[in-house]
Amino acid sequence: MKHVDEYRDGAAARRYADAIAQMVTRPWSIMEICGGQTHAIVQHGIDRMLPEEITLLHGPGCPVCVTPAEAIDAAVEIALRPAVILCSFGDMLRVPGSQRSLLWAKSQGGDVRMVYSPLDAVAIARDNPEREVLFLAIGFETTTPTTAMAVLHAERAGLKNFSMLVSHVLVPPAMSALLDDPQCKPDGFLAAGHVCAITGAREYEAVTKRYRIPVVITGFEPLDLLQGLHMCIRQLEAGEAVLENQYSRSVREEGNRAAQSAVGSVFQVTSQDWRGIGTIPGSGLRFAARYAAFDARARFPDLAPTPAPPSPCISGEILRGARKPPDCPAFGGTCTPEHPLGATMVSSEGACAAYYRYRKPAGVPKIEEARHEEVPR
Amino acid sequence: MNDKPFFTPQCPSPERDEGLITLAHGGGGLLTRRLIDDVFRPAFAHNAEDLTHDGAVLEVGDTRLAFTTDSYVVKPLFFPGGDIGSMAVYGTVNDLAMCGAKPLYLSAGMVIEEGFALADLRRVVASMSRAAQVAGVRLVTGDTKVVERGKGDGIYITTSGVGQVRAPRPVAPAQIREGDAIILSGDIARHGMAVMAAREDFGFENDIASDCAPLAEPVLAMLDGEIDLHCLRDLTRGGLGTALVEIAVDGGCDLQVARSAIPVSDTVRGACEILGIDPIFVANEGRYIAIVPGGQAGSALAIMQRFEKHAAVIGEVGRPQQTGQASLTTMGGDYVLDLPTGEQLPRIC
Amino acid sequence: MCLAIPGELLSISGDDPLTREGRVRFAGIVKSANLAFTPEANAGDFVLVHAGFAISVIDEVEAARTLALLDELT
């Protein structure tokens, strides 16, 4: 696949890893807030290619995992009501809210449907005029334009039976919240390339200036990540703190104006709860007044409030690097990957799930000094 | 290179265990294995090897028979490249083949939901008949039950099969040895993606066709070619990845596989990239791996390629270990595989 | 959030900016994507697709430059 395969070249990736190793003179920690980047780093063993001095921190970048339990509980409750079709992205279906997941609701007879695009939910609404169709709108800024457009399509089609349960999250306020925490440690950031393709670079420039920290907008393939890391570490070694754009083939300075415009007309910025972290002001979206009719929370005002179960979960502190998973009283006992209590265990990209797996006896082989040759095709 | 902890990105995890069977228990991954270990093995197994492999090899007088059973549950029932009927026949034929046996006879039990269309039943049965012919087996006995409307997904089929073991030595994970080659019979992930695409409406213009097919011929050809088959495994639920993990654990050896050596068709690749699905954990219904002595890799591969041109050597068996692990070689080192906890769902992040 | 894949835009249909669609090829799969956010896209371009929408047109010059940076490493 063009524009994908070229960036998965192992030999080229190793050259970047070597260049980083030669450049580094002291320890640096670099954080990314993007589930997709975390995924790629782990899949390709990117962090294992880097010298000891470099620590990669995985911030709260999995939108599915930071979606508050309350939103899932609301979706589950609505899904069980008669004459409702609840549509959701696939990876959201399995996440438990405070008790139950959407897959559970489906097993109880709820009409829960997986969709690839919010427009598919609009099509379902069009095809089922006698049913209420809801879309669980989660995701970062890459996804918000697509859900905004779903609303615009629904408005254009005059649909009265379509609404969205919105629980979007925005990255820059989360970055600021992490950096405002004195216990938070990153020296540099990789900004999520696809989020920036939409939002542009401006807000991230503000972060570099305010916190004097280098930020590199980075793509998702191994070569992108290594190049982004190389750029970030070069800055750190040189004492620089500016915004750079590694992902220039997809990210423009101004971002995507049409997408920003759609989001700006359908939504407004608001406070948002992040699972395992808490409330971050200005980090979420709610409907603008003009589109209030599409707000599922307004259509279903009588939802039972989610009881906040007393939880020993310390995800928030772990995400900021203030505590480590073994510090947590629930770790490995009441909280495991099969029954997680917080975001860092729900996502196996999270620190707690990582530590949990590493504890397994016998056997993660020590990495040899010699490089592996990739088996030729 | 450094010593970083590994974690397997699968977001997110399933629900807490409440003493109830969940869909994930049927996924072929971690929870299925737990179910077998916690519930079935204590009740049925006489020794450590019982219930570890898809088929049982039994000594009856002078003959060695292979005996297996499998149940077929799929939605939708008909999909490009196959249907529940052909799956039910080939699946059991293949389990027998994986024991190094020539499949001979099948039985079929059908549980049909009230209201199921007779025309659909005829279609399924016709497909089974065709598949049996292609596979060279006879369906000799069966049973039919009907359940109330709403109590069954159209139709469930269980097939059992009996075959004559042709392999001179046992074919099982316990036979694998350091230095053995791991050979994959063809490109992966077609079946799971075909069924998912047929079930959900992703709007793909072109169909993905399942690879549903019988596998006894290549196995018998390798036995004729005097290949020393240490282990065979068809890559059904849970895909290639699950098979590798299970064989590593049951065989007590590390397995090392190069992801770059694993063939994936263009169509499947495109679908997996768009949906964020890893092909190594997707089900196949016409693919297997053969683990043979390193010195025979070339000959075995040549035979396998006669049947499926994309067959390829993908890795090798490493050292014996207390707990064998299967790893993929990545640019950054060995990525240890874990059993998936449920069927992969398309992801947004 | 992050899963967006580049595909080749084969053809475009519709004039309405909101509903303009393109057929996009990803290896062996062809699927349509909404082009409301990439009004400048033309057939033959590569577009980045997320959740059924093209969110960016891939800049071939920048792509080449990105790969060429590798040569600048010592």
Side-chain angles (χ1 to χ4, degrees), chain A residues 1 5 8 13-14 39 42-45 47-50 52 54 62-63 65 89-91 94-95 100-101 104 114 116 337-338 346 348-349 354 357-358 360 363 366-367 371 374-375 377, chain B residues 1-16 18 30 34 200 202 256 258-260 269 273-275 278 325 330-332 334-335 338 341-343 345-349:
Chain A
M1 283 175 76
D5 293 338
R8 292 186 187 175
R14 275 191 289 276
H39 190 102
V42 170
Q43 274 244 305
H44 297 280
D47 53 343
R48 309 185 115 227
M49 297 171 81
L50 299 171
E52 285 283 347
I54 305 298
C62 174
C65 309
F89 293 125
D91 42 1
R94 228 178 245 146
V95 191
R100 300 299 193 181
S101 71
W104 174 85
M114 172 171 74
Y116 159 74
E338 274 78 55
V346 171
S348 5
E349 299 157 6
R357 264 178 227 288
Y358 194 49
K360 274 202 317 209
K366 290 283 182 190
I367 300 300
R371 308 270 194 236
E374 295 233 326
V375 174
R377 275 191 162 280
Chain B
M1 296 289 219
N2 50 49
D3 234 356
K4 296 277 159 55
F6 267 121
F7 37 102
T8 312
Q10 283 176 107
C11 172
S13 338
E15 323 202 20
R16 52 200 87 215
E18 286 187 2
L30 180 67
R34 288 238 185 103
E200 315 294 338
F202 293 133
Q256 193 128 331
R259 194 187 267 280
S260 57
R269 172 141 194 227
E273 292 281 354
I274 298 172
L275 300 173
D278 189 344
Q325 286 182 320
T330 66
M331 56 181 74
D334 292 336
Y335 175 78
D338 257 314
T341 35
E343 192 193 345
L345 296 170
R347 48 183 184 100
I348 191 75
C349 81

Side-chain angles (χ1 to χ4, degrees), chain A residues 221-235:
Chain A
E221 299 299 339
L223 218 57
D224 289 320
L225 289 158
L226 282 157
Q227 206 174 61
L229 285 164
H230 186 261
M231 290 161 76
C232 192
I233 294 165
R234 189 205 59 76
Q235 283 200 48

Side-chain angles (χ1 to χ4, degrees), chain B residues 202 205-206 266-267 347-348, chain C residues 1 3 23 28-31:
Chain B
F202 293 133
E205 270 185 24
N206 37 331
D266 263 2
T267 320
R347 48 183 184 100
I348 191 75
Chain C
M1 158 204 182
L3 190 65
R23 289 173 62 242
I29 288 282
V30 175
K31 189 185 160 11

Side-chain angles (χ1 to χ4, degrees), chain B residues 139-348:
Chain B
L139 210 135
V140 294
T141 185
D143 182 61
T144 309
K145 294 284 184 294
V146 178
V147 293
E148 280 173 35
R149 196 181 300 266
K151 303 283 193 229
D153 247 335
I155 185 169
Y156 299 141
I157 305 179
T158 299
T159 46
S160 298
V162 107
Q164 189 180 44
V165 176
R166 293 287 176 83
R169 286 167 291 282
V171 182
Q175 306 303 313
I176 67 177
R177 298 285 175 266
E178 185 173 0
D180 281 356
I182 304 169
I183 314 178
L184 173 58
S185 70
D187 63 292
I188 61 169
R190 287 193 198 217
H191 177 77
M193 297 313 291
V195 170
M196 191 189 291
R199 187 175 62 223
E200 315 294 338
D201 189 7
F202 293 133
F204 295 159
E205 270 185 24
N206 37 331
D207 280 340
I208 304 173
S210 168
D211 58 348
C212 197
L215 300 172
E217 271 193 76
V219 171
L220 295 172
M222 282 196 282
L223 289 171
D224 280 343
E226 294 183 359
I227 302 291
D228 187 9
L229 294 171
H230 285 175
C231 185
L232 296 169
R233 177 70 56 101
D234 61 346
L235 310 175
T236 52
R237 277 177 320 181
L240 170 65
T242 297
L244 291 171
V245 174
E246 289 182 343
I247 292 174
V249 170
D250 294 338
C253 284
D254 281 342
L255 300 188
Q256 193 128 331
V257 165
R259 194 187 267 280
S260 57
I262 300 171
V264 178
S265 74
D266 263 2
T267 320
V268 168
R269 172 141 194 227
C272 286
E273 292 281 354
I274 298 172
L275 300 173
I277 285 179
D278 189 344
I280 66 163
F281 290 110
V282 176
N284 307 268
E285 285 293 326
R287 296 287 182 262
Y288 63 100
I289 47 174
I291 302 184
V292 305
Q296 291 194 312
S299 324
L301 179 64
I303 296 171
M304 288 167 76
Q305 281 175 335
R306 278 177 12 216
F307 296 88
E308 191 61 54
K309 63 183 174 183
H310 293 296
V313 176
I314 60 169
E316 66 171 11
V317 177
R319 275 175 305 210
Q321 300 281 6
Q322 176 79 350
T323 307
Q325 286 182 320
S327 336
L328 289 184
T329 312
T330 66
M331 56 181 74
D334 292 336
Y335 175 78
V336 176
L337 291 175
D338 257 314
L339 289 180
T341 35
E343 192 193 345
Q344 284 182 91
L345 296 170
R347 48 183 184 100
I348 191 75

